[in-house]
Amino acid sequence: MLLRHTPKEVKEREGLTINPAKTCQPIGAMYAALGIHGCLPHSHGSQGCCSYHRSTLTRHYKEPVMAATSSFTEGASVFGGQANLLQSIETIFAVYDPDIIAVHSTCLSETIGDDLQQITKKASDDGKIPEGKYVIYASTPSFVGSHVTGYANMLTGIAEQFAQSTGEKKDQINIIAGWMEPSDMREIKRLSKELGVKIVLFPDTSDVLDAPQTGKHVFYPKGGTTVEELKSAGDSKCSLALGCISAEPAAIGLDKKCRVPFETVDMPIGLSATDRFIMSLSKAAGVEVPDEITAERGRLIDVMTDMEQYFYGKKVALFGDPDQLIPLTEFLLDLGMKPVHIVSGTPGMRFEKRMKEILQRIPGANFKNGLNADMFLLHQWMKNEPVDLLIGNTYGKYIARDENIPFIRFGFPILDRIGHSYFPNVGYTGSLRLIEKILGVLMDRQDREAPEEKFELVM
Amino acid sequence: MEAMKQYPDPSRIREELVQKYPAKVAKKRTKSIVINDPESIPEVQANVRTVPGIITQRGCSYAGCKGVVLGPTRDIVNIVHGPIGCSFYAWLTRRNQTRPETPEHENYITYCFSTDMQEENVVFGGEKKLKQAIQEAYDLFHPKSIAIFSTCPVGLIGDDVHAASKEMREKLGDCNVFGFSCEGYRGVSQSAGHHIANNGVFKHMVGRNNEVKEGKFKLNLLGEYNIGGDAFEIERIFEKCGITLVASFSGNSTVGQLENSHTADLNVIMCHRSINYMGEMMETKYGIPWMKVNFVGAESTAKSLRKIAEYFDDAELKARVEEVIAEEMPKVKAIIDEIRPRTEGKTAMLFVGGSRAHHYQDLFTELGMTTVAAGYEFAHRDDYEGRHVLPNIKIDADSKNIEELKVTADPELYQPRKTEAELEALKEKGLEINGYEGMMKQMMKKSLVIDDVSHYESEKLIEIYKPDIFCAGIKEKYVVQKMGVPLKQLHSYDYGGPYTGFVGATNFYRDIDRMVNNPVWKLIKAPWEKAGNGKGTELEAAYVTQ
C-alpha cells in the first residue's frame, strides 16, 4: 500500500495539513499571465518559487513555460527587494524583450512588505520601461487562499491595469475565463463563434500552452489575449465571468473601473452549467441559439440516456478547485451518480453555499473546503464509505491504487497523462468527453473483474 | 584531440553569448563562461548570485535541503513549516524510489506534510501551529523521527524551529524531532540547502546507534538519491561483490541506517556537491576517509569497484570484484557494440546539477559521443576545477551565512581507519581519497564550460552548435525539443532509469540511441512545407490499370 499509514478513523487536525488539495497563489498568477500575448510572468521572490512553478506547469502541459525571478538572497530579504526587481526589469527588457512583464509577489516579498505598485512606478520613473511596453503586477501572498486566489488576483490586475473606457461601447462581450485549460478556452471561442457573438476572452492560453512542434521555439507564442483586446474590454457591453472564485473578482474590477456590467455563471462543465452559459451568452448578445448548438446538446443527452444504467447510483469522491467542482458535482447528479465525498483546499463561503444547495439531493454527503480540507481526509472518508469512482488531479492515483477504485484525472495538476491541453471538459462536447472517460474506467473495471460467465460482449 | 573543429572560435561564441546583455550583466556572465584547457584549467566563476531576471535553471535552499538530501529517507516524517506551496511542489516529484523491508514497514515518501501557514501565523508567529502539527503527526503515525523545514517567511518572522523541535522532542520522548533553517533565500541556489541538510543530519542523526554490524568491507554511499532506482543497482553490485552497505545518503535509506553510518570504514561519494561536507565531517569526527567514485558509466563503475577493493586492500575482495566485472561487462559490451555505430561522433551538451554534468560525460564517451559544452546549475569552483582550488575560493556574503559546523574528533569513537601513510599510498595509486579532480580535467580542450547557464545562453548555444542531444531538466525539456533537439532530463531521467552501474549503463545507451535516432525528429516539417506550399504542379494521374 502506497498510503499505508492513513487510518480509517478521522481525527480533527488543526496544525497539520496532509496531502493538500491546493497549492499556493503565485503559480496561479503565473498561469493567468501566460494567457496574455507577449507577456513574461515574473516571480518576485526567491528562485525556488519560480523554479517550482515553472516545473509544475511544464509537467502539466509538456510545453515551454517561460518566467523570470527576482532571485532574492538574504540581503534582499533584509533590505527589501526593490533593487532586485529593478534589475530584473532592466535585464528582461534587454534580453527577452516582452511586451509586458507581469510581476506577482510571493510569501517572501509580501512578508517583508515590498510594494509592487511603488517599485513598478519607480521603474517607470527611472525610464526602465521602454516606450510602448508594460509592467503590471498583482499581490499574491502564498499564505492567503490558494493557487486559485492567485489566478484571480493576477486576472484582476490584468483587467484593472489594461482595460480602458473610451465612452463608446463596442458590440462585444468579455468572457473572463476561470482557471481552465487551453483546450477549454479554445472551445469557449468556438462556441461563441457558433453563436455568432464577438467576444474578448481573457486570459487565453490556447496557442500558448498547446503550441505546435515546428522545429522552432517561439518565445512568445502566437496565442494569448492581446493588449488591444484587453484595452477594449473596458468598452464591452458586458462581461461573463466563468467561475465565482477564479473569474468574478476580475469582472468586479472591470466594472468598478470601466462600468462594464457583469454576470457570473458557472464554468460550463456538464449539461446544466453549459445550458446556463449558452443562455446567458445568447441573452447578453441578443442572438438566437443556432441549431448546431442544440444538436450538440442533443448528442450529449443522447449518450446520457443511452448509457444511464452505468451511471445510476454510483458513488463518487472528488477533489480539486471550487469553480470546477461546483458544475462537475451538478453534472454527476444529472447523470444519476452520487457524489458523496468532496474536498477543496481553496477557502471560500461561496463554495460551501453552492455545494449545500447542489447536494440537497444526497443526504449525508461529505464536503469540506479551506483549511485542513485535504486528500488525507478525503481518503479517510473513502475508507469509511467506499466509492465507485474517484475524480481529481494526478495525486489521486495513490488513493485509487490502494483502494482499487476507478480514477479519472481532472483538474490541476495532471502530471502523468496527456489530453487536457487538447480536448476540452467544457461545453457539450467537453461533457461528452467526460462521460466517455467515466464510462471507460467503470466498464474497464467491470471487464477486468467480472467472473468469466458474466463477461459481457455488448455493453 | 581538439573539440569543435567545425565550430567558430569559442572565444567568439563567448562574446556572442553575452552580447545582448546590459554591460554590467555581460561583464559578470563572461566570468562564468570559460574555454576549457585540461592542461591548465582556467578559473570559473561559480556559486555566485544569479542576475535577477536572467531566467535561470536554479532553485532554492529549501529545495536542496528537503527536496534533495532529506526527501529520500522513507521513515522520517518531513513537515514543511510555511505556506502550502513549498511542500506541495516537493511532493513525490524527485522520483526517489524506496523499498521498505516489508509491506508493513514505514514509508512516508508518498505523503506531503505542511503547516499550511496562514496570514495570522505570519503576523502573530507560527510556532504554536508548528508544535501542534508535530503533535498531530506523532499521534497519527508515531514515527522515529520528524524533521522540520523552514520556508522563507519562517526565518523572516523569527519562528525558532530549533527551539520548537527541541521542546517537542523532549515532550514526546521517543521521537527525534529536529529542524532545518533552509529558507529559500539563503545562499544563491540549492547548494546552500545541501550544506544545511548535511549539518542537520550530521548533528541530529549520525552517531546515535553505535552497534557494529557484521561485514568485512563496510562502507556508506554518499550523494546517491536513488532517482529511478540508481541506488538499487549499486546495492545489487555491492552485494554481488561482498561489500556491505551500512547507509546510503540518502537514496532508499532509513533513519536507522543513517544513525548507524559512523560504523562504516569508508565513505564513497557520488554527488560531491551535495554531500562532501558529510564526508569531511565524518572523517574528522570518526576517522572514516572518503573517496570520490562514479557509478555512472560501465567503465566508471568497474573503475570505482577496483578503487574500493584497493582501499580495503584484500586479495579476496579484489578477486571477487574482478569476477563481477568479468561477469557483467560482456552483457554491457554486447549492447554497446550494437548501438555505438549509431551514436559515434554525435555531440552532447550537459547543463545540470552539481555532479551530473560531469558523471554523464562518461556515458557519452562510452557511446562515442563528444561533450561540446557543459556546466552546472549550482556547483562551486571545486566541482569544476578540482578541490585543490578550495583554499583560493573567496567566501562571499551569501556563503558566509551558511553555518560551518565546528567538528572535532570524538573522544570515544574516533578511530582512523587508515594511517596517514596508508592514505598517501592509496592516493599514489590514483584513488581520489578525500579529493576530487573536478569536471574540467576530463573535458576536451576548447570545449565550453558555463556555470548557471541562462535561458538565453542555452538557446544561443543550440543555434550555434546544433547538438544531437541536450541534457538538462524539466524546465528546459520542451523548449529545447521545440527547437528540434531531443532533451534528456538528468534530474528525473524522463521517468526511466536506473542509469548507474552495469544495468544502468545499458539503459542509458538504449535511451540515447532511441532519442538521437528517433525518426520522429525528421517528421516535423509537413510535406507541403517541404514542397513549397501551393507552388507545386497540378496533380498527376497516377493509377495502375490491370
Side-chain angles (χ1 to χ4, degrees), chain A residues 111-127:
Chain A
T111 303
I112 63 173
D114 272 0
D115 180 349
L116 294 181
Q117 185 180 12
Q118 174 262 319
I119 301 174
T120 48
K121 185 174 177 301
K122 182 165 169 51
S124 174
D125 294 347
D126 292 356

Side-chain angles (χ1 to χ4, degrees), chain A residues 2 4 6 14 19 96 217, chain B residues 54 105 110-112 136 459:
Chain A
L2 288 159
R4 63 185 68 167
T6 305
E14 282 168 9
N19 302 347
Y96 298 109
H217 172 232
Chain B
I54 202 164
H105 270 79
T110 48
Y111 290 85
C112 170
E136 287 168 3
E459 282 214 20

